[in-house]
Amino acid sequence: MSEKIYKTMKQVGAWNIAIGVTLIVLGVLSGVMTIVNGARLIKDKSDIMF
């Protein structure tokens, strides 16, 4: 009985680590994209007219 519980806990832990790593990568990518787009706006701000 306890062996089944440990296997389940192991699988849940592995999934939690995989999801955590994925979220970290997505967060870093979105941050980099935001910085790049902001730099592009600052670079071309003289061309923007309201």
Side-chain angles (χ1 to χ4, degrees), residues 1-46:
M1 179 69 169
S2 63
E3 183 177 333
K4 185 176 179 182
I5 293 170
Y6 286 122
K7 283 184 179 181
T8 303
M9 290 173 63
K10 182 179 173 182
Q11 289 175 347
V12 169
W15 275 107
N16 284 338
I17 291 172
I19 290 171
V21 169
T22 303
L23 289 175
I24 289 170
V25 170
L26 288 174
V28 169
L29 286 175
S30 66
V32 168
M33 289 173 39
T34 302
I35 291 170
V36 168
N37 286 327
R40 188 178 298 156
L41 281 173
I42 290 172
K43 179 183 148 200
D44 295 335
K45 73 178 179 182
S46 62

